[in-house]
């Protein structure tokens, strides 16, 4: 072993603490700390449990260990009198398994842990702050929400008008705002937090990351992801049955994943019935040596069937577009994707008719997107949603603001909103998971010489 390979000094680089905004950083005069109401809660024995309350010394290390974040959990002091707290909860963007669970656990946690009684849901996403009346919530109203898919608060894309939103928050007297959504929603939450801070308002803002694609960075995963992978199995199993029951049958499944292929990757590994997995992080091509058609032709000769899984964002650069389609965007400002599944099905049929005229061939295309988004969370995600909600509540009550609650390396932490809003979580195609995918499917790497 040479000297360079035994050098471990790089393992002991300084660790930067990502500190959090606190209301006392800009509220003048400073807020006075109050005893935590959990001291009087009959279900907690805070005085008998050494280490129940977290301190400034409790941190969680990032995956790279270059950064540390404040650990999530209750503190011995709070900066809100529960009787003065007025809460707003909003869900934005697309549907995701677990939305109703997060709402329920926020309501129940605020009510039962801290004695908060003024809790309201904002309907119709961001625009609901200034266009609809808040919906009063309590534990009885949300009792069974966790067993239902979707969001009872309703949601929408777009409608983000910063001044109108913050004016509505201020005029209605909300002093805690819980924002549930994906990366676009988190970018909006950053703007809301900055505007509230600029106005020196005593209002805590917290984000709870939601994206079924699992494309939010820093945290281990976003809620609803494991439910989505579980539900994707049903679509893949159906595609496998259809392909196996036909002569030269191909089962084609399109799964969610605009910019990342996590659902497609994990569903492929979980299923073991998939012959090829296509994700946005890797280009692929159809024709020629090493292309998709050559690979599928060989699989059909060997097995008589094949199952192909494709993430919705894969192949977007090789699908023909009109000039208007190149510029089309949705209400959230995202580029509108063309349906890679429909396009692939068409191209597969053209290929077969050209190269195998007169031979039997079937492509069964399954798009379970809305079925997956609309289901309620499974047991694992339900538990996860509870921990996210309670972590968020403890952080806001402790006076922190402008943060996201989420797990890092299995430990719950408070992460600055701005960090999460700009962090991505692409599939690492050079790690063991993607190598595992290719070892399971034996698919080509689609690299042209």
């Amino acid at each position: 072993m040479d000297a360079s390979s035994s050098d471990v000094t790089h393992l002991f680089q300084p660790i930067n603490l990502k500190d959090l905004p606190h209301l006392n950083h800009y509220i003048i005069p400073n807020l006075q700390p109050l005893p935590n109401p959990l001291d009087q809660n009959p279900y907690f024995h805070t005085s008998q449990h050494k280490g129940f309350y977290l301190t400034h010394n409790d941190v969680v290390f990032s995956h790279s260990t270059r950064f540390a974040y404040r650990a999530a959990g209750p503190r011995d002091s709070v900066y809100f009198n529960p009787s003065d707290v007025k809460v707003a909860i909003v869900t934005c963007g697309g549907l995701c398994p677990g939305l109703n669970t997060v709402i329920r656990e926020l309501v129940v946690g605020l009510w039962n842990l801290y004695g908060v009684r003024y809790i309201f849901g904002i309907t119709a996403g961001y625009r609901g702050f200034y266009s609809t009346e808040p919906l009063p919530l309590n534990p009885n109203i949300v009792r069974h929400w966790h067993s239902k898919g979707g969001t009872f608060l309703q949601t929408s894309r777009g409608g983000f008008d910063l001044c109108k939103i913050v004016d509505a928050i201020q005029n209605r007297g909300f002093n805690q705002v819980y924002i549930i959504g994906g990366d676009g929603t988190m970018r909006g939450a950053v703007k809301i937090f900055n505007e509230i801070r600029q106005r020196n308002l005593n209002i805590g803002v917290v984000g709870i990351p939601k994206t079924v694609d699992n494309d939010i960075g820093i945290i281990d995963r976003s809620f609803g992801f494991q439910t989505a992978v579980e539900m994707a199995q049903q679509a893949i199993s159906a595609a496998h049955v259809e392909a196996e029951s036909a002569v030269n049958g191909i089962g084609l499944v399109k799964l969610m994943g605009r910019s990342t292929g996590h659902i497609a990757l994990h569903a492929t590994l979980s299923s073991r019935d998939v012959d090829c997995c296509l994700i946005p992080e890797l280009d692929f091509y159809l024709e020629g040596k090493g292309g998709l058609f050559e690979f599928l032709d060989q699989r059909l000769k060997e097995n008589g069937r094949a199952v192909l899984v494709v993430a919705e964002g894969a192949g977007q650069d090789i699908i023909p577009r009109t000039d208007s389609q190149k510029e089309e965007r949705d209400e959230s400002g995202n580029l509108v994707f063309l349906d890679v599944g429909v396009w692939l099905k068409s191209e597969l049929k053209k290929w077969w008719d050209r190269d195998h005229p007169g031979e039997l061939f079937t492509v069964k295309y399954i798009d379970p997107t809305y079925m997956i988004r609309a289901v309620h969370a499974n047991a694992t995600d339900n538990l996860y949603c509870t921990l996210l909600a309670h972590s968020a509540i403890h952080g806001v009550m402790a006076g922190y603001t402008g943060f996201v609650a989420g797990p890092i390396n299995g430990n719950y932490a408070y992460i600055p909103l701005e960090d999460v809003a700009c962090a991505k979580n692409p599939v690492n195609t050079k790690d063991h998971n993607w190598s595992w995918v290719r070892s399971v499917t034996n698919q080509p790497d689609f690299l042209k010489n």
Side-chain angles (χ1 to χ4, degrees):
M1 181 181 295
D2 59 33
S4 61
S5 63
S6 60
D7 182 11
V8 295
T9 56
H10 67 284
L11 298 177
F12 301 96
Q13 297 176 355
I15 295 173
N16 298 313
L17 176 64
K18 290 277 189 174
D19 214 348
L20 289 177
H22 193 280
L23 291 171
N24 270 350
H25 291 170
Y26 63 88
I27 297 294
I28 299 175
N30 279 178
L31 304 172
Q32 295 304 306
L34 304 169
N36 195 314
L38 293 178
D39 291 337
Q40 309 303 320
N41 193 305
Y43 302 110
F44 296 91
H45 301 284
T46 58
S47 61
Q48 302 173 20
H49 186 172
K50 184 179 180 181
F52 177 87
Y53 290 123
L54 278 68
T55 71
H56 285 296
N57 296 324
D58 293 304
V59 298
V60 174
F61 295 107
S62 68
H63 295 108
S64 66
T65 68
R66 291 174 50 230
F67 300 105
Y69 301 91
R70 297 290 182 195
R75 269 59 179 177
D76 60 0
S77 297
V78 300
Y79 288 81
F80 287 95
N81 186 329
S83 62
D84 297 331
V85 171
K86 190 175 182 181
V87 171
I89 303 170
V90 65
T91 57
C92 305
L95 295 184
C96 175
L99 277 171
N100 281 327
T101 304
V102 173
I103 299 167
R104 179 192 188 277
E105 297 308 305
L106 285 172
V107 173
V108 173
L110 284 161
W111 192 284
N112 290 340
L113 296 180
Y114 286 97
V116 175
R117 294 296 181 263
Y118 301 105
I119 308 171
F120 296 85
I122 305 300
T123 58
Y126 274 137
R127 59 171 44 85
F129 276 107
Y130 56 83
S131 65
T132 66
E133 287 298 313
L135 178 68
L137 299 175
N138 62 54
N140 283 331
I141 291 175
V142 302
R143 182 183 301 275
H144 301 294
W145 283 20
H146 64 291
S147 62
K148 305 294 183 182
T151 167
F152 281 107
L153 294 184
Q154 302 177 321
T155 186
S156 69
R157 297 187 186 276
F160 186 85
D161 187 314
L162 180 60
C163 288
K164 285 185 177 180
I165 291 171
V166 178
D167 285 346
I169 292 171
Q170 184 175 4
N171 293 337
R172 293 187 183 278
F174 293 124
N175 53 10
Q176 291 188 9
V177 180
Y178 296 82
I179 301 173
I180 309 167
D183 54 349
T185 301
M186 293 300 110
R187 288 192 290 272
V190 170
K191 295 178 181 178
I192 292 171
F193 162 66
N194 287 332
E195 179 65 18
I196 285 174
R197 180 167 56 178
Q198 186 173 345
R199 297 187 189 187
N200 292 320
L201 301 177
N202 182 17
I203 301 172
V205 178
V206 58
I208 299 179
K210 172 236 54 165
T211 164
V212 74
D213 300 347
N214 199 37
D215 58 1
I216 291 181
I218 302 179
I219 63 173
D220 294 345
R221 71 179 192 280
S222 53
F223 72 82
F225 172 69
Q226 291 195 337
T227 304
V229 172
E230 183 179 305
M231 293 300 297
Q233 301 303 297
Q234 298 181 21
I236 294 174
S237 296
H240 180 255
V241 170
E242 290 285 356
E244 202 168 38
S245 301
V247 177
N248 294 320
I250 289 182
L252 172 60
V253 180
K254 184 185 76 173
L255 297 175
M256 290 164 289
R258 285 182 55 87
S259 59
T260 64
H262 289 289
I263 295 179
L265 182 154
H266 285 84
T268 294
L269 291 178
S270 301
S271 168
R272 302 301 179 91
D273 286 329
V274 178
D275 294 278
C276 187
C277 175
L278 304 174
I279 60 175
E281 289 85 352
L282 287 176
D283 294 333
F284 69 93
Y285 58 96
L286 303 180
E287 305 278 1
K289 185 172 180 59
L292 181 63
F293 290 160
E294 181 187 66
F295 172 72
L296 291 176
D297 193 50
Q298 185 63 34
R299 276 298 164 95
L300 291 174
K301 288 177 181 177
E302 294 173 353
N303 304 325
R305 50 96 187 134
V307 175
L308 177 60
V309 169
V310 56
E312 63 179 309
Q316 292 296 317
D317 57 336
I318 60 175
I319 304 176
R321 289 175 178 265
T322 64
D323 289 340
S324 61
Q325 287 174 330
K326 292 176 182 178
E327 302 300 325
E328 188 179 2
R329 296 185 178 273
D330 63 20
E331 289 183 314
S332 297
N334 301 313
L335 181 68
V336 174
F337 282 179
L338 298 181
D339 193 323
V340 65
V342 171
W343 174 76
L344 262 180
K345 179 181 179 180
S346 174
E347 294 300 309
L348 286 167
K349 287 186 173 181
K350 291 177 186 176
W351 157 66
W352 191 265
D353 289 342
R354 183 193 69 204
D355 290 7
H356 302 274
E359 295 185 41
L360 291 173
F361 180 68
T362 300
V363 180
K364 298 296 185 184
Y365 173 45
I366 299 174
D367 179 359
T369 298
Y370 293 104
M371 293 177 61
I372 292 175
R373 289 175 11 139
V375 301
H376 64 80
N378 65 12
T380 301
D381 272 325
N382 262 333
L383 173 59
Y384 180 32
C385 290
T386 301
L387 295 173
L388 284 176
H390 285 200
S391 296
I393 292 169
H394 292 315
V396 176
M397 292 300 295
Y400 292 121
T401 182
F403 71 93
V404 162
I408 302 176
N409 292 321
N411 297 301
Y412 286 76
Y414 296 141
I415 310 154
L417 257 174
E418 292 185 357
D419 289 12
V420 174
C422 63
K424 303 297 182 183
N425 184 34
V427 169
N428 182 357
T429 56
K430 301 187 185 308
D431 73 357
H432 296 299
N433 276 345
W434 187 248
S435 298
W436 188 12
V437 168
R438 292 198 58 215
S439 71
V440 168
T441 63
N442 295 312
Q443 67 188 66
D445 56 20
F446 298 112
L447 296 177
K448 290 184 178 180
N449 294 326

